[in-house]
Amino acid sequence: MAAPKPRVKVPKSASAGEVITIKTLISHKMESGQRKDKQGNVIPRQIINKFTCEFEGKPVFSCDVEPAISANPYFEFTAKVMESGTFKFTWVDDSGDVYSHEQAIEVK
Amino acid sequence: MQVTRRQALGISAGAAAFVAFGPALADEAATEKMLMEFTGGKTPASGKINLKAPEIAENGNTVPITVSVDSEMTEGSYVESVTLLADGNPNPAVATFHFTPMSGEASATTRMRLAKTQNVVAVAKMNDGSVFMDKKQVKVTIGGCGG
């Protein structure tokens, strides 16, 4: 599988106190642990189990993910921005791999 | 009673379906148990929380689902977390969202898998410990757990 690639959409700028919508997606097959291969062996579970979003080190939104979330997990949520800064997004895999992405926002 | 060929086929198909999927799928009792674990034994009230799901999902592999909770989202009053459960999936847990006052609004969208037609339940826990619930039935044409 190609390395999971995060994609994040954050507005470039906002006014102070505005509630913005953030959209995130990461390419990941989210193997549920329920499927079987052709020989009838269970394919081991391999999913993103945690997603977090922080703004300047402070938690904004996080999600505990179960196998019932679709492949290429998509999360859309909101954040209230008071000042310019950087959002940090983190995805954690069952194997312990961590994928992260950062995006700055300018507040006028 | 004489069993006709048609009835016999129906019975065996039903039994086969039960053997194949019955024990593997979560039932309402398991969902109820997880719900109670999340709420700490409280029975959730209705209102405040709104779960938006399609009435009919053609593809159970990716069902868009939005949950929003009516809250001020201030330090004094905000939604701590929202959990999603699906009572007909192999495991009823779907996802748990954690919000903070910095979220601005308690609203999130994701895409989930549904094995068959079933109820999706969303439960919100406020910072004062009160709990609210919403439930939607989603009809699934093609299940999302195929192997």
Side-chain angles (χ1 to χ4, degrees), chain A residues 6 12 18-19 21 26 35-36 42 46 48-49 52 54 57-58 65 67 75-77 90-91 96:
Chain A
K12 282 201 175 66
E18 194 182 331
V19 175
T21 301
I26 187 164
R35 298 199 309 156
K36 289 183 179 149
V42 172
Q46 171 74 7
I48 298 275
N49 58 39
T52 53
E54 289 179 345
K58 283 178 285 212
V65 186
F75 299 106
E76 182 184 325
F77 54 94
T90 317
W91 292 261

Side-chain angles (χ1 to χ4, degrees), chain B residues 28-86:
Chain B
E28 283 176 29
T31 311
E32 188 70 19
K33 194 168 153 259
M34 291 191 116
L35 198 155
M36 284 301 149
E37 270 170 28
F38 178 74
T39 63
K42 276 189 206 159
T43 307
S46 59
K48 279 210 176 192
I49 180 164
N50 181 26
L51 175 69
K52 214 170 93 190
E55 205 172 299
I56 297 172
E58 278 181 12
N59 182 356
N61 266 315
T62 166
V63 183
I65 198 151
T66 300
V67 59
S68 56
V69 189
D70 185 16
S71 164
E72 293 167 23
M73 295 305 275
T74 56
E75 290 292 338
S77 163
Y78 66 96
V79 182
E80 250 175 26
S81 49
V82 171
T83 196
L84 288 172
L85 302 168

